[in-house]
Amino acid sequence: MKVGIVGTGFVGSTAAFALVMRGIGREVVLVDLDTRRAQAEADDILHGVPFAKPLTVTAGDYEALSGCRVVIIGAGVGQKPGETRLQLLARNAEVFRQVIPSVLRHAPRAVLIIATNPVDIMTHLAAEYARDFDVPSRRVIGSGTMLDTARFRTLLGRHVGIDARHVHAYVVGEHGDSEVLAWSAVRVGAAALPDFARDRGISLGESDREKIDDAVRNAAYRIIEGKSATYYGVASALAYMTNVVLHDQRSLMTVCTPQPRIADVEDVTVSMPHVVGGDGVIGEHHPLQLDEREQEALQASATLIRKLADDLAGEVN
């Protein structure tokens, strides 16, 4: 099973390392405009194989992606001083206009996993460019709020003293400031969160919720302030997603892919729980029972992304 990674910055190279450490796939191919960087990352990761899993790690051009079942896209440009978000998006749109066709010419059956930020819009764009190759949008999946959801579950698990893998909680909407923590849908095992906390005498008042919300919503800002970039968490999410696709695991994950309608907003790409398998997203998104305030926040988040997509279309055209 062959996996490609386009873009070998912090996220792409750490994703490759995560794949090797977990033994996901059989061959990993790194592609980057900076070919020396891609080769150096491939060599460095390959040297860790004797201490991990028996994978092959190489670097190459787009032709080397032939036969890939999954291609992770982490390519993109950084924001320049004084550049607006829309201008940055326009430049990244141009990058994707080159990258997505280049990938699909050589790996036409691959599921594309988009990691480039802002991931909602970049996934929407990638799906548009993929249509020219008759690739359905279900095979273009953004990492979306996978990491935000993991942060939410981790912090809740720590708060209530339970393994985070048994905390069922979701962050939906934009991967960004307008994201929505779906408190009303949280379950610990089979119990509603308030019931679980009450039965065990655990404090879960408004101030507790606000602290957790702030820690989830602003995690990236704090990590970037401390070390300039975030990559371990998202790389772990990308490795997990890749494994789900390669083994058709049909897992429920908060990813983004173009949807006909979310929260009364049409043709929008924001994160919701989706079932993901060997051929990408299966069916439409899985609805959550949100309270009125959360539903309004989700609609606002989806509206924001839809407007940004419209503004970008005007900028690019």
Side-chain angles (χ1 to χ4, degrees):
M1 291 180 285
K2 188 174 179 181
V3 179
I5 299 178
V6 179
T8 57
F10 282 128
V11 170
S13 57
T14 309
F17 182 71
L19 291 172
V20 171
M21 291 299 104
R22 291 190 57 192
I24 296 171
R26 184 64 186 85
E27 180 179 359
V28 180
V29 179
L30 305 184
V31 176
D32 198 289
L33 187 63
D34 184 346
T35 56
R36 291 180 62 190
R37 171 67 182 266
Q39 188 62 61
E41 294 288 3
D43 289 345
D44 197 12
I45 295 168
L46 181 65
H47 299 160
V49 164
F51 310 107
K53 305 292 182 179
L55 273 69
T56 300
V57 187
T58 60
D61 55 19
Y62 285 105
E63 291 182 358
L65 298 175
S66 176
C68 282
R69 290 272 309 280
V70 174
V71 178
I72 297 169
I73 309 292
V77 296
Q79 195 163 12
K80 295 179 179 179
E83 186 176 42
T84 67
R85 187 186 191 195
L86 193 59
Q87 289 169 332
L88 171 64
L89 274 171
R91 291 201 297 127
N92 267 327
E94 188 55 38
V95 170
F96 268 38
R97 196 189 300 273
Q98 305 299 320
V99 167
I100 302 302
S102 297
V103 169
L104 292 176
R105 286 189 192 103
H106 300 287
R109 299 194 60 79
V111 171
L112 305 185
I113 296 179
I114 311 301
T116 303
N117 277 320
V119 69
D120 311 281
I121 295 295
M122 299 313 297
T123 302
H124 198 83
L125 284 173
E128 287 186 1
Y129 299 148
R131 287 191 199 110
D132 293 337
F133 292 81
D134 295 323
V135 173
S137 61
R138 70 174 183 274
R139 280 173 44 204
V140 182
I141 312 170
S143 57
T145 56
M146 282 277 291
L147 181 54
D148 310 273
T149 291
R151 289 167 175 158
F152 192 21
R153 293 177 178 180
T154 298
L155 294 172
L156 279 172
R158 184 168 67 185
H159 186 79
V160 302
I162 291 292
D163 180 349
R165 291 172 296 179
H166 299 286
V167 176
H168 309 296
Y170 304 93
V171 177
V172 294
E174 176 196 15
H175 171 55
D177 294 341
S178 73
E179 65 188 25
V180 181
L181 278 67
W183 284 96
S184 63
V186 176
R187 297 289 183 273
V188 181
L193 177 62
D195 297 338
F196 185 91
R198 184 191 62 244
D199 292 347
R200 285 158 180 78
I202 298 169
S203 171
L204 192 66
E206 192 63 30
S207 63
D208 299 303
R209 293 183 181 225
E210 287 176 357
K211 287 178 184 177
I212 292 173
D213 184 290
D214 175 71
V216 172
R217 195 177 302 277
N218 295 306
Y221 295 120
R222 291 174 178 136
I223 293 170
I224 290 169
E225 183 179 355
K227 63 173 212 170
S228 301
T230 69
Y231 38 91
Y232 292 124
V234 70
S236 299
L238 295 170
Y240 181 88
M241 293 171 68
T242 300
N243 196 49
V244 165
V245 173
L246 291 180
H247 296 285
D248 191 24
Q249 290 180 342
R250 313 230 165 176
S251 296
L252 191 66
M253 303 186 294
T254 50
V255 296
C256 60
T257 193
Q259 291 288 282
R261 179 183 292 267
I262 293 177
D264 293 328
V265 179
E266 296 183 353
D267 185 25
V268 68
T269 303
V270 294
S271 289
M272 292 294 290
H274 289 275
V275 177
V276 178
D279 202 29
V281 168
I282 301 170
E284 294 190 7
H285 67 273
H286 181 76
L288 286 174
Q289 296 301 314
L290 304 176
D291 64 26
E292 184 176 354
R293 184 171 63 175
E294 292 165 349
Q295 189 65 35
E296 289 174 354
L298 176 59
Q299 185 177 48
S301 185
T303 299
L304 183 153
I305 295 300
R306 181 62 260 174
K307 182 179 185 304
L308 193 55
D310 291 338
D311 292 344
L312 178 60
E315 179 83 8
V316 171
N317 296 333

Tab-separated table of all heavy atoms in Angstrom, residues 44-72:
chain	number	residue	atom	x	y	z
A	44	ASP	N	16.325	10.867	6.205
A	44	ASP	CA	16.336	10.957	7.666
A	44	ASP	C	15.301	10.004	8.283
A	44	ASP	O	15.580	9.292	9.248
A	44	ASP	CB	16.052	12.398	8.084
A	44	ASP	CG	16.433	12.681	9.529
A	44	ASP	OD1	17.113	11.844	10.144
A	44	ASP	OD2	16.040	13.750	10.044
A	45	ILE	N	14.098	10.000	7.719
A	45	ILE	CA	13.033	9.123	8.233
A	45	ILE	C	13.369	7.659	7.968
A	45	ILE	O	13.138	6.788	8.819
A	45	ILE	CB	11.679	9.511	7.612
A	45	ILE	CG1	11.281	10.920	8.071
A	45	ILE	CG2	10.587	8.508	7.987
A	45	ILE	CD1	10.127	11.520	7.300
A	46	LEU	N	13.912	7.380	6.795
A	46	LEU	CA	14.275	6.004	6.451
A	46	LEU	C	15.254	5.416	7.464
A	46	LEU	O	15.193	4.221	7.786
A	46	LEU	CB	14.887	5.958	5.050
A	46	LEU	CG	15.311	4.571	4.534
A	46	LEU	CD1	14.103	3.660	4.369
A	46	LEU	CD2	16.066	4.709	3.217
A	47	HIS	N	16.135	6.254	7.979
A	47	HIS	CA	17.139	5.758	8.922
A	47	HIS	C	16.521	5.350	10.262
A	47	HIS	O	17.185	4.708	11.074
A	47	HIS	CB	18.224	6.826	9.140
A	47	HIS	CG	18.950	7.181	7.892
A	47	HIS	ND1	19.656	8.354	7.734
A	47	HIS	CD2	19.062	6.516	6.708
A	47	HIS	CE1	20.172	8.403	6.521
A	47	HIS	NE2	19.828	7.297	5.884
A	48	GLY	N	15.267	5.726	10.478
A	48	GLY	CA	14.576	5.295	11.689
A	48	GLY	C	13.813	3.997	11.525
A	48	GLY	O	13.287	3.461	12.512
A	49	VAL	N	13.754	3.484	10.305
A	49	VAL	CA	12.971	2.262	10.032
A	49	VAL	C	13.424	1.064	10.870
A	49	VAL	O	12.578	0.304	11.382
A	49	VAL	CB	13.006	1.947	8.515
A	49	VAL	CG1	12.563	0.509	8.247
A	49	VAL	CG2	12.116	2.926	7.755
A	50	PRO	N	14.723	0.840	11.071
A	50	PRO	CA	15.122	-0.315	11.893
A	50	PRO	C	14.599	-0.269	13.323
A	50	PRO	O	14.544	-1.305	13.995
A	50	PRO	CB	16.656	-0.241	11.871
A	50	PRO	CG	16.985	0.478	10.612
A	50	PRO	CD	15.901	1.504	10.457
A	51	PHE	N	14.208	0.910	13.788
A	51	PHE	CA	13.700	1.051	15.149
A	51	PHE	C	12.174	1.109	15.183
A	51	PHE	O	11.584	1.286	16.257
A	51	PHE	CB	14.265	2.313	15.794
A	51	PHE	CG	15.756	2.423	15.671
A	51	PHE	CD1	16.325	3.343	14.807
A	51	PHE	CD2	16.592	1.585	16.397
A	51	PHE	CE1	17.706	3.440	14.676
A	51	PHE	CE2	17.968	1.679	16.279
A	51	PHE	CZ	18.535	2.599	15.412
A	52	ALA	N	11.543	0.977	14.003
A	52	ALA	CA	10.085	1.146	13.928
A	52	ALA	C	9.458	0.022	13.130
A	52	ALA	O	9.442	-1.122	13.565
A	52	ALA	CB	9.761	2.516	13.317
A	53	LYS	N	8.959	0.344	11.940
A	53	LYS	CA	8.258	-0.629	11.109
A	53	LYS	C	8.929	-0.715	9.738
A	53	LYS	O	9.501	0.260	9.251
A	53	LYS	CB	6.794	-0.209	10.926
A	53	LYS	CG	6.031	0.012	12.227
A	53	LYS	CD	5.817	-1.281	13.002
A	53	LYS	CE	5.017	-1.008	14.267
A	53	LYS	NZ	4.767	-2.242	15.027
A	54	PRO	N	8.835	-1.865	9.052
A	54	PRO	CA	9.555	-2.057	7.791
A	54	PRO	C	8.875	-1.415	6.588
A	54	PRO	O	8.297	-2.090	5.737
A	54	PRO	CB	9.592	-3.590	7.665
A	54	PRO	CG	8.343	-4.031	8.359
A	54	PRO	CD	8.173	-3.084	9.508
A	55	LEU	N	8.928	-0.087	6.536
A	55	LEU	CA	8.396	0.654	5.397
A	55	LEU	C	9.540	1.154	4.516
A	55	LEU	O	10.672	1.332	4.986
A	55	LEU	CB	7.570	1.868	5.858
A	55	LEU	CG	6.091	1.634	6.168
A	55	LEU	CD1	5.940	0.798	7.420
A	55	LEU	CD2	5.371	2.975	6.316
A	56	THR	N	9.212	1.420	3.265
A	56	THR	CA	10.147	2.062	2.353
A	56	THR	C	9.804	3.540	2.268
A	56	THR	O	8.638	3.904	2.118
A	56	THR	CB	10.046	1.433	0.940
A	56	THR	OG1	10.363	0.048	1.029
A	56	THR	CG2	11.000	2.117	-0.020
A	57	VAL	N	10.802	4.396	2.393
A	57	VAL	CA	10.589	5.842	2.317
A	57	VAL	C	11.506	6.397	1.236
A	57	VAL	O	12.733	6.234	1.306
A	57	VAL	CB	10.890	6.544	3.658
A	57	VAL	CG1	10.502	8.022	3.584
A	57	VAL	CG2	10.164	5.859	4.805
A	58	THR	N	10.893	7.044	0.231
A	58	THR	CA	11.666	7.605	-0.878
A	58	THR	C	11.179	9.015	-1.187
A	58	THR	O	10.151	9.463	-0.685
A	58	THR	CB	11.519	6.738	-2.147
A	58	THR	OG1	10.137	6.699	-2.525
A	58	THR	CG2	12.033	5.322	-1.920
A	59	ALA	N	11.930	9.697	-2.036
A	59	ALA	CA	11.526	11.001	-2.550
A	59	ALA	C	11.514	10.929	-4.062
A	59	ALA	O	12.222	10.128	-4.673
A	59	ALA	CB	12.484	12.092	-2.074
A	60	GLY	N	10.674	11.761	-4.674
A	60	GLY	CA	10.616	11.768	-6.138
A	60	GLY	C	9.778	12.914	-6.653
A	60	GLY	O	9.394	13.816	-5.882
A	61	ASP	N	9.488	12.874	-7.940
A	61	ASP	CA	8.617	13.889	-8.523
A	61	ASP	C	7.193	13.339	-8.551
A	61	ASP	O	6.899	12.273	-7.998
A	61	ASP	CB	9.095	14.293	-9.917
A	61	ASP	CG	9.249	13.097	-10.850
A	61	ASP	OD1	8.664	12.018	-10.556
A	61	ASP	OD2	9.938	13.225	-11.882
A	62	TYR	N	6.291	14.049	-9.223
A	62	TYR	CA	4.897	13.629	-9.237
A	62	TYR	C	4.706	12.246	-9.855
A	62	TYR	O	3.802	11.504	-9.451
A	62	TYR	CB	4.039	14.663	-9.972
A	62	TYR	CG	3.797	15.915	-9.162
A	62	TYR	CD1	4.475	17.100	-9.466
A	62	TYR	CD2	2.911	15.926	-8.095
A	62	TYR	CE1	4.262	18.261	-8.719
A	62	TYR	CE2	2.685	17.071	-7.348
A	62	TYR	CZ	3.367	18.234	-7.665
A	62	TYR	OH	3.161	19.355	-6.921
A	63	GLU	N	5.534	11.881	-10.803
A	63	GLU	CA	5.418	10.556	-11.419
A	63	GLU	C	5.590	9.445	-10.384
A	63	GLU	O	5.023	8.360	-10.523
A	63	GLU	CB	6.449	10.397	-12.533
A	63	GLU	CG	6.185	11.267	-13.758
A	63	GLU	CD	7.201	11.034	-14.853
A	63	GLU	OE1	8.136	10.215	-14.631
A	63	GLU	OE2	7.085	11.672	-15.912
A	64	ALA	N	6.343	9.730	-9.318
A	64	ALA	CA	6.588	8.723	-8.286
A	64	ALA	C	5.333	8.422	-7.470
A	64	ALA	O	5.309	7.455	-6.705
A	64	ALA	CB	7.708	9.197	-7.354
A	65	LEU	N	4.279	9.233	-7.641
A	65	LEU	CA	3.029	9.006	-6.924
A	65	LEU	C	2.159	7.942	-7.584
A	65	LEU	O	1.122	7.567	-7.038
A	65	LEU	CB	2.228	10.305	-6.822
A	65	LEU	CG	2.891	11.451	-6.064
A	65	LEU	CD1	2.035	12.706	-6.164
A	65	LEU	CD2	3.120	11.073	-4.604
A	66	SER	N	2.573	7.446	-8.727
A	66	SER	CA	1.798	6.429	-9.430
A	66	SER	C	1.533	5.231	-8.522
A	66	SER	O	2.445	4.700	-7.878
A	66	SER	CB	2.564	5.964	-10.677
A	66	SER	OG	1.871	4.921	-11.328
A	67	GLY	N	0.261	4.837	-8.451
A	67	GLY	CA	-0.118	3.694	-7.638
A	67	GLY	C	-0.471	4.027	-6.201
A	67	GLY	O	-0.846	3.129	-5.434
A	68	CYS	N	-0.397	5.303	-5.822
A	68	CYS	CA	-0.732	5.682	-4.442
A	68	CYS	C	-2.224	5.499	-4.168
A	68	CYS	O	-3.068	5.897	-4.971
A	68	CYS	CB	-0.347	7.134	-4.176
A	68	CYS	SG	1.416	7.402	-3.870
A	69	ARG	N	-2.537	4.927	-3.025
A	69	ARG	CA	-3.923	4.812	-2.577
A	69	ARG	C	-4.379	6.090	-1.878
A	69	ARG	O	-5.567	6.428	-1.883
A	69	ARG	CB	-4.052	3.641	-1.603
A	69	ARG	CG	-3.907	2.272	-2.240
A	69	ARG	CD	-5.243	1.751	-2.762
A	69	ARG	NE	-6.287	1.824	-1.740
A	69	ARG	CZ	-6.442	0.941	-0.760
A	69	ARG	NH1	-5.611	-0.085	-0.664
A	69	ARG	NH2	-7.422	1.066	0.119
A	70	VAL	N	-3.439	6.755	-1.225
A	70	VAL	CA	-3.708	7.995	-0.503
A	70	VAL	C	-2.585	8.978	-0.821
A	70	VAL	O	-1.415	8.592	-0.871
A	70	VAL	CB	-3.756	7.763	1.020
A	70	VAL	CG1	-3.885	9.095	1.771
A	70	VAL	CG2	-4.898	6.839	1.405
A	71	VAL	N	-2.951	10.236	-1.037
A	71	VAL	CA	-1.952	11.302	-1.161
A	71	VAL	C	-2.328	12.415	-0.195
A	71	VAL	O	-3.423	12.979	-0.270
A	71	VAL	CB	-1.844	11.855	-2.590
A	71	VAL	CG1	-0.824	13.000	-2.639
A	71	VAL	CG2	-1.450	10.760	-3.575
A	72	ILE	N	-1.414	12.713	0.731
A	72	ILE	CA	-1.598	13.809	1.680
A	72	ILE	C	-1.044	15.072	1.051
A	72	ILE	O	0.097	15.088	0.576
A	72	ILE	CB	-0.875	13.501	3.000
A	72	ILE	CG1	-1.468	12.254	3.660
A	72	ILE	CG2	-0.937	14.699	3.940
A	72	ILE	CD1	-0.649	11.732	4.831
